[in-house]
């Protein structure tokens, strides 16, 4: 019996490709060539499955051009690159890669918060530029993490991981806002108190964004929200580009209406708003919150499992639109 044909859109671990090879006829982009949209559609021709990453847009146009496609397995927890409605209408299963990256991403969120509040990269640039020639009492004075109020917008698994680090590790007071309130046991575990978005913005010394991107969460933090924050506050975005209005943030950082920001995600990435590159009080990283090799391998392996189980006629571990599944 011939094996189903799949496309692996970006380079991934050789061991994952080897595993996929056992089940599928695999075309993979192991040279990691940059494909245009038209090239992606061309490579997708004849493929029943696709192993995608968060940058690969799967929408009605692509689905119409690739009618044989039956599943797209994203190697990311976020899936705003998928038009789920269009995929469901086309009978195409979407899967993501949750859970396996939670702790790694929460670690990174905390690292970015620490680097931002304590001005680590800004002071390193100063040192590397040979400008350190004397001590001064307020040189690169930042703001404290321990004992401060940590605000979290979006209290899913990663938000909870950050809350626990803050509350248990650094004695922070944790407040959060989320579409739905956590149950009492989970709030107690995270030592986190539920507040309105307005109170969160006005009260947090450090605000970490961990909410999923959707049209409803677009520009959740814009000029009006930034204006509510304390002038001493730091803002950390490990959620998605588009959650923050980057142009408004660049102005707030330039005018010091907030103290600093740490950003791992950007509107229109890998491009950056030019205003973010000229202000010193921002720490910038290239969307690496889940980037440790064990975690990336776990994410890739989960995406591969979704493909393998689907074509074996079983329920894949992490379906996003299970209503399209017709199981054996
Ligand atoms: C990373 O941003 C992910 O969604 O996994």
């Amino acid at each position: 019996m011939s094996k189903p044909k799949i496309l692996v859109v970006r380079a991934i671990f050789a061991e994952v490709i080897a595993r996929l090879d056992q089940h599928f006829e695999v075309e993979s982009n192991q040279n990691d060539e940059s494909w245009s949209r038209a090239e992606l559609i061309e490579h997708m021709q004849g493929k029943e499955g696709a192993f995608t990453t968060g940058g690969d847009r799967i929408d009605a146009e692509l689905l119409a051009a690739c009618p044989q496609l039956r599943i797209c397995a994203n190697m990311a927890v976020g899936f705003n690159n998928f038009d789920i409605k269009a995929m469901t209408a086309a009978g195409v299963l979407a899967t993501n890669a949750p859970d396996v990256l939670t702790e790694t991403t929460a670690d990174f969120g905390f690292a970015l918060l620490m680097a931002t509040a304590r001005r680590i990269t800004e002071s390193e640039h100063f040192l590397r530029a040979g400008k350190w020639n004397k001590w001064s009492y307020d040189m690169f004075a930042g703001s404290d993490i321990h004992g401060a109020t940590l605000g979290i917008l979006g209290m899913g698994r990663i938000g909870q991981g950050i809350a626990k680090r803050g509350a248990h590790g650094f004695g922070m007071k944790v407040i959060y806002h989320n579409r739905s309130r956590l149950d009492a046991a989970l709030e107690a575990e995270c030592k986190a108190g539920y507040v309105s978005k307005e109170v969160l913005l006005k009260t947090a010394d450090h605000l970490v964004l961990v909410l999923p991107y959707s049209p409803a969460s677009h520009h959740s933090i814009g000029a009006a929200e930034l204006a509510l924050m304390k002038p001493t506050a730091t803002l950390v975005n490990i959620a998605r580009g588009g959650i923050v209005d980057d142009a408004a943030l660049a102005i707030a950082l330039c005018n010091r209406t907030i103290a600093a920001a740490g950003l791992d995600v950007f509107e229109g990435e890998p491009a950056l708003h030019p205003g973010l590159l000229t202000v010193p009080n921002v720490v910038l990283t290239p969307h690496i919150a889940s980037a440790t090799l064990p975690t990336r391998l776990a994410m890739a392996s989960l995406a591969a499992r979704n493909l393998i189980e689907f074509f074996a006629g079983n329920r894949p571990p992490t379906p996003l639109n299970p209503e399209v599944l017709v199981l054996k």
Side-chain angles (χ1 to χ4, degrees):
M1 213 175 77
S2 69
K3 294 176 182 171
K5 292 187 176 137
I6 66 159
L7 178 67
V8 180
V9 175
R10 298 291 310 276
I12 53 154
F13 298 88
E15 64 204 88
V16 174
I17 296 285
R19 178 135 167 259
L20 291 169
D21 275 335
Q22 293 170 4
H23 300 267
F24 306 113
E25 198 178 305
V26 180
E27 177 187 338
S28 69
N29 182 10
Q30 280 304 78
N31 293 332
D32 223 12
E33 285 158 14
S34 288
W35 287 340
S36 66
R37 174 102 176 136
E39 284 167 332
L40 172 65
I41 290 174
E42 197 184 309
H43 285 279
M44 203 75 97
Q45 293 308 305
K47 307 297 188 304
E48 288 178 77
F51 181 118
T52 54
T53 64
D56 307 316
R57 191 158 44 88
I58 306 296
D59 57 13
E61 179 204 36
L62 182 141
L63 295 166
C66 310
Q68 72 302 321
L69 200 56
R70 296 173 59 205
I71 172 172
C72 293
N74 228 22
M75 186 190 146
V77 64
F79 51 89
N80 54 302
N81 57 314
F82 285 170
D83 180 339
I84 297 286
K85 216 168 139 196
M87 292 175 80
T88 305
V92 173
L93 184 72
T95 66
N96 69 338
D99 300 324
V100 290
L101 78 180
T102 299
E103 298 303 327
T104 296
T105 304
D107 281 352
F108 186 85
F110 223 86
L112 195 52
L113 168 56
M114 299 283 285
T116 305
R118 297 302 307 273
R119 304 175 65 182
I120 287 176
T121 56
E122 191 187 348
S123 61
E124 184 185 346
H125 290 147
F126 168 87
L127 187 149
R128 284 180 185 271
K131 293 180 183 167
W132 186 28
N133 49 29
K134 62 176 176 12
W135 179 90
S136 71
Y137 76 95
D138 61 350
M139 187 166 70
F140 291 105
S143 47
D144 278 323
I145 299 289
H146 72 274
T149 297
L150 170 62
I152 300 175
L153 186 58
M155 198 62 155
R157 289 159 287 216
I158 297 169
Q160 291 165 32
I162 290 171
K164 286 179 197 159
R165 281 160 177 76
H168 300 293
F170 290 83
M172 300 179 89
K173 177 180 178 203
V174 182
I175 53 176
Y176 76 97
H177 183 74
N178 196 42
R179 261 179 319 182
S180 49
R181 189 171 173 169
L182 301 184
D183 66 39
L186 213 42
E187 277 190 358
E189 206 181 299
C190 298
K191 284 189 160 184
Y194 183 80
V195 294
S196 68
K197 185 174 172 192
E198 188 180 339
V199 169
L200 185 81
L201 291 164
K202 287 182 171 166
T203 318
D205 295 312
H206 307 288
L207 178 60
V208 181
L209 308 177
V210 210
L211 65 169
Y213 181 85
S214 71
S217 63
H218 183 74
H219 286 187
S220 288
I221 301 294
E225 289 77 15
L226 290 162
L228 291 178
M229 292 176 68
K230 295 181 182 178
T232 49
T234 56
L235 175 71
V236 171
N237 187 8
I238 55 165
R240 270 291 180 276
I243 298 269
V244 174
D245 176 345
D246 285 349
L249 177 61
I251 293 170
L253 290 169
C254 186
N255 295 340
R256 307 249 171 195
T257 54
I258 67 166
L263 307 173
D264 188 47
V265 289
F266 305 89
E267 283 191 284
E269 61 186 51
L272 260 68
H273 188 283
L276 293 173
L277 291 169
T278 53
V279 285
N281 47 344
V282 61
V283 179
L284 306 167
T285 52
H287 203 149
I288 55 167
S290 67
T292 67
L293 286 178
T295 291
R296 287 282 164 87
L297 179 59
M299 293 165 73
S301 302
L302 180 51
R305 257 181 67 211
N306 273 306
L307 289 164
I308 292 165
E309 295 298 346
F310 174 80
F311 283 105
N314 303 324
R315 186 183 171 91
T318 51
L320 292 165
N321 54 350
E323 59 272 33
V324 307
L325 282 171
V326 185
L327 301 175
K328 273 197 228 164

